[in-house]
């Protein structure tokens, strides 16, 4: 019986599983950074700012002792866009269209990569949109925003993303 | 020496014990570390290939919820499972995938041959609520009045929904009338249509039974067009040609005995179309709409009429004839709605209209009364049902309390249109008597509902839910129902949950208004005599104590646990108990006994009647046990396995009307208590290796009984094996071969029953209750292109 249990545990340790949607969103946010090059980034830390954080301490847990672009990761939380300071990524969980408009105005021309799971985020002027179809994550990238914000994006990222051009906001 | 040996043995045992525990602890620890870091270390491509937890919206108005955290037992079936099942109808898919879901294939049962009745947990078809995108679906116009599973009910015709339009199916295994209103007694099935981002695809499927009949050609296509702001227009169309199967025995009425009657799956051609549209606006408001269209031409038959059936038979048919009972079914529904958010309040306003029409016609038949001038084909009349539902839902979060309030207005009507005069006059058309002017009816009703739903997240471990719903029906009055549910996470991995609720089912308009009577020549008096189904309000029914139908009332309780030790492994065990009072049944055929009844029968030329009545109180109790396991062997191969066991026992607790019903209903009572398998086991597995996909499903259907002439006959439990093997080519082309019931399991014939119509040596050698039919193995090939 013990042998069966041990085998079972060994098998379990190499198993795949359902992931938490929130966890996947949080990890994908940082993972995207590996494919993006920021302009003249001389900061000591890689900063991810989360506005109106709904994930409790999930960002901190996931990025504790982790590095992005060989820099330690700093997570910042803000409730209002007027509190925004330097950041590489601004993660926008869910806000109204009106709020989104003012957030995107505030981040324009600041070399901030905006990431969100909001519907139509890329079309409305966001840089990278995460969404889920049949339980699997998908990406949309707005190349006009990327160009406007002076980011460089690896072609491998574009290959696995749906490309959006222009804005309909 | 002995002491040393004992000490040595003891030490070895202890060491062994310590070592084993250390290894287990290390593996568990490694497992934990591995899982916590696993996801972060994965590549972006791998992350995008990971599946997130299954979530369902049904059962709570607080938004979608992980199945493992659901306070009410809930399951989700994905579109991938549907695609790799090899099945081409939703009814069949649920029958093979959901333990406790039953949908026998009937034959020689008039309209029931064309519209499949289904049951959940052995209860009635109309005690399961069906939703599409969370909105109530109208039922079929057909009322099952023959001796089939589901007799006396009108359920939703699930085959009107194109399989390829479905994104997922949420199944709530709980009473939920306090949330959704009438019918949500044994459970709720919420069908979610595909939304944005799904690939276009086209499929063709063809196959046949091992016996060489039952050929099927099925094609379907899904097209998705993107719209502004991530909106979409999705269109699905499917068509299916199904040839009949025939498993009849010999007809001893003809000489030499030969097969005269088709017994098996009906011959049918159907077309389905579904659209689903979402048009988000700049201000976050979303206009949405979906619609379904189904047309089906189905051909079945009655029993063969030998030439000596009636002296007039030979006037048109020298060797007897087989009356064909055909159905033309048209079903459509259309919804429009708007949803959005205003001042942190989510709103959803919608209107859904649905209609089902079923025209019955008979071919290759005759009306004996008309003799040689009788036509051979008849229009026997049309049944129609329509329903319009308006809903307004409002939701708001207050810190850790989710609240929802809503209101609903529903209008429904039911109509029977008479057949052509030759179909009902005199002895009526053979096979199926047309609806006569006395049977025609138009009836309608409306209802208002007000409901409230709240979830209190007391802390990260304890959740409390409450729901209340008040309804006012224009025919029977008001009803109020309540539900309380709670979930407590004893450990992060272990959830304890329980629910209790009250519920109801409004009598359907068809049950209240249906009548179908036919005449025959009484051999003793030589006069035409009438028998059939009468309205409960008919004076003949009233003489037996019939009353206007009241709603069925239910009480529900469930308690269970969910254990998820690792992300890839979970167990669910849930006990359920549902008691239904005043359950509506169709009585057996009753003859006049009292003087009052004899007088009324004589006045109306009636010989026997049957009618709907709130006759019985029932109890349904059982357990669902589920086990899910996912395993990745390496980057190219993984296994997904689940086992689902259901035990459902239905008992009749009491009778509401005169005792004589009890004495004349043994077949009906046996059908309710023993006519369906009490146990059901599904072992579902899918193994993916590179571009190969292997699906192996094992189904065990428990034993069941059917009573004939007051004697119950038992049919054995059977295992059914389904296999689907597919290969995905790099250009989006997918080729599959497979089989359903590949080992050709056939139910045993009537054991100990010999007869002309029913019996091991009769025309119908198998029970119509068989949960997997009796047509045997089916083999197919399928090709799919995604683009």
């Amino acid at each position: 019986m013990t042998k069966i249990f041990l085998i079972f545990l060994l098998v379990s340790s190499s198993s795949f599983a359902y992931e938490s949607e929130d966890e996947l969103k949080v990890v994908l946010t940082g993972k995207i950074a590996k494919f993006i090059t920021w302009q003249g980034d001389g900061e000591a830390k890689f900063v991810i700012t989360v506005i109106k954080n709904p994930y409790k301490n999930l960002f901190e847990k996931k990025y504790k002792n982790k590095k992005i672009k060989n820099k330690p990761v700093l997570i910042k939380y803000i409730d209002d866009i007027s509190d925004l300071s330097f950041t590489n990524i601004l993660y926008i969980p869910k806000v109204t269209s009106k709020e989104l408009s003012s957030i995107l105005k505030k981040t324009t021309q600041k070399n901030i990569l905006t990431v969100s799971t909001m519907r139509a985020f890329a079309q409305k002027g966001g840089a990278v949109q995460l969404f889920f179809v049949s339980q699997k994550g998908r990406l949309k990238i707005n190349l006009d925003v990327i160009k406007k914000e002076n980011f460089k994006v690896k072609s491998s990222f574009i290959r696995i993303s749906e490309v959006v051009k222009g804005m309909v906001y | 020496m002995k002491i040393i040996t004992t000490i040595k043995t003891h030490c070895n045992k202890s060491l062994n014990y310590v070592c084993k525990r250390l290894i287990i602890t290390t593996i568990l620890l490694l497992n934990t570390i591995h899982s916590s870091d696993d996801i972060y270390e994965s590549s972006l491509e791998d992350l995008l290939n990971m599946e997130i937890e299954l979530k369902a919206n049904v059962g709570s108005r607080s938004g979608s919820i992980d199945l493992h955290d659901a306070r009410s037992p809930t399951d989700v079936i994905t579109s991938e499972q549907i695609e790799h099942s090899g099945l081409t109808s939703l009814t069949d898919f649920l029958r093979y995938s959901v333990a406790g879901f039953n949908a026998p294939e009937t034959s020689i049962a008039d309209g029931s041959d064309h519209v499949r009745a289904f049951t959940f947990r052995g209860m009635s078809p109309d005690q399961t609520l069906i939703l599409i995108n969370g909105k109530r679906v109208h039922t079929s116009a057909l009322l099952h009045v023959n001796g089939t599973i589901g007799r006396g009910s009108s359920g939703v015709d699930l085959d009107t929904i194109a399989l390829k339009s479905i994104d997922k199916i949420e199944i709530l295994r709980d009473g939920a009338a306090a949330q959704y209103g009438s019918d949500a007694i044994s459970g709720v099935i919420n069908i979610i249509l595909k939304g944005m981002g799904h690939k276009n695809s086209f499929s063709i499927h063809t196959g046949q039974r091992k016996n060489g009949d039952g050929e099927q050609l099925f094609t379907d296509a899904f097209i998705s067009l993107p719209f502004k702001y991530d909106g979409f227009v999705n269109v699905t169309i499917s068509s299916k040609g199904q040839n009949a199967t025939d498993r009849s025995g010999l007809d001893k009425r003809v000489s030499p005995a030969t097969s005269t009657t088709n017994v098996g799956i009906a011959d049918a051609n159907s077309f389905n179309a579904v659209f689903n549209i979402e048009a988000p606006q700049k201000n976050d408001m979303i206009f949405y709409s979906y619609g379904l269209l189904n047309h089906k031409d189905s051909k079945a038959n009655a029993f063969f009429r030998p030439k000596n059936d009636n002296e007039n038979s030979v006037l048109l048919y020298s060797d007897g004839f087989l009356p064909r009972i055909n159905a033309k079914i048209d079903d459509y529904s259309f919804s429009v709605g708007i949803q959005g958010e205003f001042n942190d309040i989510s709103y959803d306003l919608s209107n859904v209209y649905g209609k089902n029409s079923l025209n019955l016609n008979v071919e290759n038949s005759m009306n004996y009364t008309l003799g040689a001038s009788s036509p051979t084909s008849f229009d026997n009349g049309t049944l129609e049902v329509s329903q319009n539902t308006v809903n307004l839902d409002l939701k708001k979060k207050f810190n850790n309390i989710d609240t929802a309030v809503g209101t609903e207005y529903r209008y429904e009507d039911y109509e029977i249109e008479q057949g052509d005069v030759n179909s009902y006059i005199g002895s009526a058309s053979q096979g199926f008597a047309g609806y006569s002017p006395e049977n025609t009816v138009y009836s309608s009703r409306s209802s208002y509902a007000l409901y409230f739903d709240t979830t209190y997240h007391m802390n990260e471990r304890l959740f409390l839910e409450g729901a209340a719903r008040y309804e006012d029906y224009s025919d029977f009055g008001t009803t109020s129902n309540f539900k309380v549910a709670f979930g407590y996470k004893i450990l992060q991995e272990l959830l304890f949950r329980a629910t209790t609720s009250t519920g109801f089912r409004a009598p359907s308009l068809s049950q209240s208004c249906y009548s179908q009577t036919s005449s025959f020549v009484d051999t003793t008096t030589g006069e035409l005599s009438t028998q059939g189904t009468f309205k409960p309000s008919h004076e003949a029914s009233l003489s037996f104590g019939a009353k206007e139908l009241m709603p069925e009332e239910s009480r529900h309780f469930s308690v269970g646990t969910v254990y998820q030790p690792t992300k890839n492994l979970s167990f669910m065990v849930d006990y359920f108990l549902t008691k239904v009072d005043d359950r509506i049944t169709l009585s057996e055929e009753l003859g006049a006994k009292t003087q009052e009844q004899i007088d009324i029968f004589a006045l109306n030329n009636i010989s026997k009647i049957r009618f709907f009545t709130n006759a019985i109180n029932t109890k349904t109790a059982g357990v669902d046990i589920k086990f899910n396991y996912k395993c990745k062997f390496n980057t190219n191969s993984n296994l997904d396995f689940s086992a689902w066991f259901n035990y459902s026992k239905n008992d009749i607790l009491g009778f509401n009307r005169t005792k004589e019903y009890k004495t004349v209903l043994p077949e009906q009572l046996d059908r309710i208590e023993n006519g369906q398998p009490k146990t059901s086991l599904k072992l579902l597995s899918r193994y993916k290796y590179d571009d190969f996909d292997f699906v192996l499903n094992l189904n065990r259907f428990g034993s069941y009984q059917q009573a004939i002439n007051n004697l119950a006959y038992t049919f054995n439990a059977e295992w059914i094996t389904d296999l689907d093997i597919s290969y995905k080519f790099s250009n989006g082309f997918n080729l599959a071969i497979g089989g359903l019931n590949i080992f050709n399991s056939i139910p045993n014939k009537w054991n100990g029953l010999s007869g002309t119509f029913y019996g091991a040596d009769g025309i119908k050698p198998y029970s119509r209750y068989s949960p997997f039919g009796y047509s045997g193995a089916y083999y197919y090939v399928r090709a799919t292109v995604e683009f």
Side-chain angles (χ1 to χ4, degrees):
Chain A
M1 191 63 196
T2 314
K3 279 180 186 170
I4 294 169
F5 184 57
L6 284 174
I7 292 166
F8 185 71
L9 283 176
L10 279 166
V11 170
S12 300
S13 67
S14 64
S15 55
F16 82 118
Y18 291 132
E19 297 300 335
S20 148
E21 183 178 339
D22 288 350
E23 218 172 302
L24 204 54
K25 285 174 185 170
V26 168
V27 173
L28 277 168
T29 303
K31 196 63 73 174
I32 290 164
K34 292 188 177 176
F35 297 83
I36 310 283
T37 304
W38 275 258
Q39 293 292 315
D41 179 8
E43 297 291 321
K45 290 186 174 179
F46 188 90
V47 183
I48 300 175
T49 301
V50 185
I51 188 165
K52 294 188 175 180
N53 173 39
Y55 304 123
K56 295 179 184 162
N57 60 350
L58 196 55
F59 267 97
E60 276 149 344
K61 260 170 75 178
K62 284 291 160 193
Y63 291 97
K64 191 180 177 185
N65 301 325
K66 296 288 189 302
K67 285 187 171 181
I68 297 176
K69 306 267 178 197
N70 286 322
K71 294 176 186 178
V73 179
L74 175 66
I75 305 294
K76 289 182 186 174
Y77 297 114
I78 58 170
D79 283 329
D80 195 294
I81 193 64
S82 59
D83 298 330
L84 185 70
S85 54
F86 172 79
T87 190
N88 295 95
I89 292 178
L90 176 64
Y91 184 82
I92 307 161
K94 195 194 172 204
V95 292
T96 62
S97 273
K98 210 173 171 184
E99 286 172 310
L100 178 64
S101 174
S102 54
I103 290 168
L104 293 178
K105 270 181 198 160
K106 196 84 178 174
T107 56
T108 304
Q109 304 279 316
K110 289 192 176 156
N111 201 222
I112 295 171
L113 185 80
T114 51
V115 178
S116 177
T117 52
M118 280 181 68
R119 189 169 189 169
F121 180 69
Q123 273 192 338
K124 288 179 175 177
V128 177
Q129 180 185 340
L130 307 178
F131 64 107
F132 290 87
V133 177
S134 297
Q135 289 178 265
K136 287 183 180 171
R138 302 256 286 266
L139 297 166
K140 278 190 184 188
I141 182 167
N142 189 322
L143 285 185
D144 287 343
V145 173
I146 292 291
K147 198 174 167 186
K148 199 171 152 193
E149 295 295 324
N150 293 318
F151 290 114
K152 281 184 181 165
V153 185
K154 286 184 181 171
S155 57
S156 55
F157 185 78
I158 295 172
R159 267 202 306 275
I160 58 170
S161 305
E162 285 179 37
V163 173
V164 174
K165 286 185 178 175
M167 280 172 263
V168 285
Y169 206 64
Chain B
M1 192 62 190
K2 197 180 175 184
I3 295 170
I4 293 169
T5 315
T6 312
I7 291 171
K8 257 185 163 178
T9 315
H10 186 74
C11 280
N12 278 342
K13 275 185 181 173
S14 302
L15 199 64
N16 200 14
Y17 176 83
V18 171
C19 279
K20 278 179 182 170
R21 291 299 171 274
L22 266 173
I23 292 167
I24 291 169
T25 312
T26 311
I27 292 171
L28 279 172
L29 200 64
L30 282 172
N31 198 15
T32 316
I33 295 163
H34 180 70
S35 353
S36 63
D37 276 351
D38 206 14
I39 179 168
Y40 190 84
E41 298 306 327
S42 306
S43 68
L44 182 62
E45 287 86 347
D46 284 345
L47 286 172
L48 295 176
N49 271 324
M50 285 177 185
E51 287 185 346
I52 57 170
E53 70 272 37
L54 286 163
K55 291 182 175 182
N57 273 298
V58 73
S60 168
R61 292 186 196 269
S62 304
S64 62
I65 187 167
D66 182 348
L67 298 189
H68 300 101
D69 295 332
R71 272 72 75 182
S72 301
T74 313
D75 306 287
V76 170
I77 292 168
T78 64
S79 55
E80 277 209 20
Q81 285 174 273
I82 297 172
E83 279 162 26
H84 291 273
S85 68
L87 293 158
T88 55
S89 98
L90 181 55
T91 311
D92 277 330
F93 176 75
L94 293 172
R95 172 169 68 153
Y96 284 104
S97 311
V98 177
F101 185 97
N102 187 30
E105 291 155 5
T106 62
S107 187
I108 318 184
D110 298 347
S112 301
D113 294 355
H114 309 290
V115 181
R116 294 269 291 282
F118 67 86
T119 67
F120 192 48
R121 293 175 167 174
M123 299 186 75
S124 185
D126 49 18
Q127 290 171 334
T128 302
L129 177 66
I130 307 295
L131 308 172
I132 292 180
N133 287 354
K135 316 291 180 198
R136 175 181 286 269
V137 180
H138 62 281
T139 65
S140 161
L142 179 77
L143 188 60
H144 297 279
V145 290
N146 277 277
T148 60
I149 296 299
R151 180 179 187 264
S153 66
S154 295
V156 171
D157 184 355
L158 291 173
D159 292 337
T160 58
I161 304 164
L163 276 177
K164 223 182 194 74
S165 66
I166 299 172
D167 182 29
K168 61 179 179 176
I169 302 169
E170 303 174 348
I171 300 167
L172 177 68
R173 293 180 273 119
D174 198 17
Q179 292 165 305
Y180 300 103
S182 178
D183 308 351
I185 291 179
S186 64
V188 180
I189 295 175
N190 186 20
I191 296 157
I192 306 294
L193 302 176
K194 281 178 181 167
M196 69 174 275
H198 288 271
K199 283 184 177 171
N200 298 334
S201 68
F202 170 79
S203 299
I204 183 162
H205 164 126
T206 185
Q208 67 172 35
R209 298 276 164 177
K210 190 184 176 210
N211 283 25
D213 57 4
E215 298 90 341
Q216 203 181 110
L217 178 63
F218 177 79
T219 55
D220 60 0
F222 171 82
I223 302 286
S224 182
L225 303 169
F227 220 57
K228 204 161 79 170
Y229 300 126
D230 286 352
F232 56 85
V233 177
N234 292 347
V235 178
T236 309
I237 51 170
S238 70
S239 76
K240 182 175 173 179
Q242 166 75 65
N243 284 352
T245 60
D246 183 14
R247 303 292 176 268
S248 60
L250 299 179
D251 188 344
K252 289 175 280 194
R253 297 171 299 166
V254 295
S255 182
T258 183
S259 173
T260 57
T261 305
N262 264 29
V263 177
I265 298 170
D267 191 315
N269 291 308
S270 60
F271 171 81
N272 286 340
V274 177
F275 73 82
N276 190 28
I277 299 171
E278 280 190 17
Q281 304 299 300
K282 185 178 174 182
N283 56 1
D284 297 332
M285 194 186 274
I286 300 172
F287 291 105
Y288 63 87
S289 177
Y290 71 77
L292 286 86
L293 175 72
N294 166 257
H295 175 80
K296 184 176 179 181
D297 281 312
S298 183
K299 296 172 191 289
N301 54 261
F303 281 111
F304 179 77
R305 267 48 173 180
K307 62 182 176 186
N308 55 358
D309 190 48
N310 184 283
E311 59 188 17
N312 283 351
S313 169
V314 290
L315 297 173
L316 292 183
Y317 303 96
S318 55
D319 292 318
F321 60 98
L322 180 68
R324 295 270 173 201
I325 304 174
N326 306 330
K328 277 185 184 169
I329 301 168
D330 285 294
D331 185 282
Y332 64 89
S333 62
F334 177 71
S335 87
V336 287
I338 183 170
Q339 61 185 37
E341 222 173 272
F342 181 74
N343 284 348
D344 291 335
I345 297 173
S346 306
Y347 60 84
D348 184 347
L349 176 66
S350 65
N351 186 80
V352 186
Y353 176 78
K355 183 170 183 172
N356 182 278
S357 162
L358 184 144
N359 171 261
L360 289 159
N361 58 85
V362 173
E363 287 175 332
N364 198 47
S365 179
M366 75 177 291
N367 184 330
Y368 290 146
T369 307
L370 301 177
S373 62
S374 168
T376 57
S377 59
F378 304 85
D379 180 346
N380 294 59
T382 301
L383 308 171
E384 283 186 354
V385 69
S386 72
Q387 179 179 289
N388 192 77
T389 310
V390 185
N391 275 92
L392 173 65
D393 296 317
L394 302 171
K395 289 183 205 170
K396 186 170 170 66
K397 277 183 188 289
F398 298 96
N399 297 322
N400 50 353
I401 300 175
D402 301 332
T403 56
V405 292
T407 183
E408 180 176 298
Y409 169 75
R410 191 160 77 245
Y411 176 85
E412 45 196 319
D413 62 19
Y414 176 74
E415 188 172 8
I416 299 177
E417 291 171 10
Q418 70 182 71
D420 66 49
V421 66
N422 295 324
S423 72
Y424 59 80
I425 58 164
S427 57
S429 50
Q430 284 300 300
F432 186 82
Y435 293 101
S436 67
E438 289 77 37
N439 301 143
T440 59
V441 68
Y442 176 82
S443 179
S444 66
R445 74 171 167 207
S446 59
S447 63
Y448 297 87
L450 190 65
Y451 46 89
F452 174 75
D453 206 313
T454 186
T455 303
Y456 178 37
H457 305 256
M458 198 170 269
N459 53 46
E460 285 199 346
R461 293 192 163 197
L462 184 62
F463 307 89
L464 292 173
E465 279 181 16
R469 187 174 173 114
Y470 168 83
E471 306 218 22
D472 187 354
Y473 278 75
S474 60
D475 51 357
F476 67 81
T478 63
T479 175
S480 298
N481 292 282
F482 306 93
K483 179 173 182 176
V484 179
F486 97 100
Y488 179 63
K489 284 201 158 186
I490 300 163
L491 301 167
Q492 192 54 39
E493 305 83 16
L494 184 63
L495 172 78
F496 176 74
R497 62 189 177 189
T499 70
T500 183
S501 62
T502 61
F504 78 105
R505 189 186 72 79
S508 66
L509 290 175
S510 54
Q511 287 172 324
S512 298
C513 305
Y514 183 86
S515 68
Q516 191 208 16
T517 51
S518 57
S519 302
F520 66 99
V521 179
D522 191 318
T523 47
T524 50
T525 62
E527 290 179 1
L528 275 176
S529 189
T530 305
Q531 65 178 37
T533 308
F534 290 75
K535 290 180 199 172
S537 56
H538 192 280
E539 62 176 332
S541 309
L542 294 174
S543 71
F544 283 86
K547 291 180 180 169
E548 288 293 314
L549 295 178
M550 303 182 296
E552 298 175 347
E553 292 185 345
S554 66
R555 298 174 307 286
H556 191 93
F557 171 72
S558 80
V559 60
T561 184
V562 181
Y563 180 51
Q564 193 180 18
T566 62
K567 283 179 179 177
N568 60 306
L569 182 69
S570 67
F571 300 93
M572 294 183 194
V573 180
D574 291 284
Y575 166 82
F576 58 88
L577 170 69
T578 302
K579 288 187 174 179
V580 182
D581 290 343
D582 302 325
R583 192 162 154 177
I584 297 169
T585 60
L586 177 59
S587 77
E588 289 297 291
E589 289 182 334
L590 303 167
K593 284 183 180 170
T594 66
Q595 190 55 49
E596 182 200 4
Q597 290 162 356
I598 291 166
D599 293 344
I600 291 170
F601 274 45
L603 189 69
N604 294 282
N605 282 334
I606 297 172
S607 57
K608 281 180 178 174
I609 71 162
R610 56 184 188 175
F611 54 89
F612 284 92
T613 173
N614 291 92
I616 55 175
N617 302 330
T618 60
K619 180 180 102 172
T620 305
V623 66
D624 276 298
I625 302 171
K626 285 197 78 176
F627 168 82
N628 292 302
Y629 179 63
K630 290 165 93 70
C631 176
K632 186 166 191 169
F633 299 107
N634 57 49
T635 50
N636 297 330
S637 69
N638 54 54
L639 172 73
D640 198 337
F641 173 77
S642 66
W644 186 351
F645 173 78
N646 169 268
Y647 172 77
S648 299
K649 188 171 187 295
N650 283 274
D651 290 303
I652 292 168
L653 300 178
F655 301 84
N656 292 334
R657 296 283 187 267
T658 57
K659 283 182 182 174
E660 63 189 320
Y661 293 157
K662 187 176 176 183
T663 58
V664 298
L665 288 172
E667 290 182 18
Q668 193 164 345
L669 302 186
D670 193 63
R671 185 184 304 119
I672 291 170
E673 291 190 330
N674 305 309
Q676 303 184 67
K678 291 184 175 63
T679 60
S680 170
L681 175 66
K682 316 282 176 197
L683 302 173
L684 313 174
S685 58
R686 182 177 177 198
Y687 175 66
K688 286 177 82 169
Y689 180 80
D690 279 341
D691 292 320
F692 280 100
D693 219 312
F694 302 86
V695 173
L696 178 66
N697 295 335
L698 302 178
N699 266 282
R700 184 186 184 276
F701 297 96
S703 64
Y704 54 96
Q705 287 183 6
Q706 184 174 353
I708 295 279
N709 297 328
N710 299 339
L711 277 176
Y713 298 87
T714 301
F715 297 85
N716 301 333
E718 286 286 347
W719 282 93
I720 304 296
T721 307
D722 304 334
L723 179 68
D724 184 280
I725 302 169
S726 61
Y727 182 78
K728 193 172 190 173
F729 295 86
S730 55
N731 54 3
F733 181 69
N734 189 303
L735 194 63
I737 56 165
L740 305 170
N741 186 7
I742 56 173
F743 298 119
N744 198 34
S745 295
I746 305 286
N748 59 290
K749 294 182 178 177
W750 296 92
N751 190 6
L753 176 67
S754 174
T756 303
F757 298 104
Y758 302 93
D761 57 347
I763 295 171
K764 293 188 80 173
Y766 305 105
S767 168
R768 58 165 45 140
Y769 297 175
S770 171
F772 56 94
Y774 38 78
S775 294
Y778 173 78
Y779 306 111
Y780 61 84
V781 292
R782 182 183 68 242
T784 305
V785 185
E786 284 187 340
F787 52 97

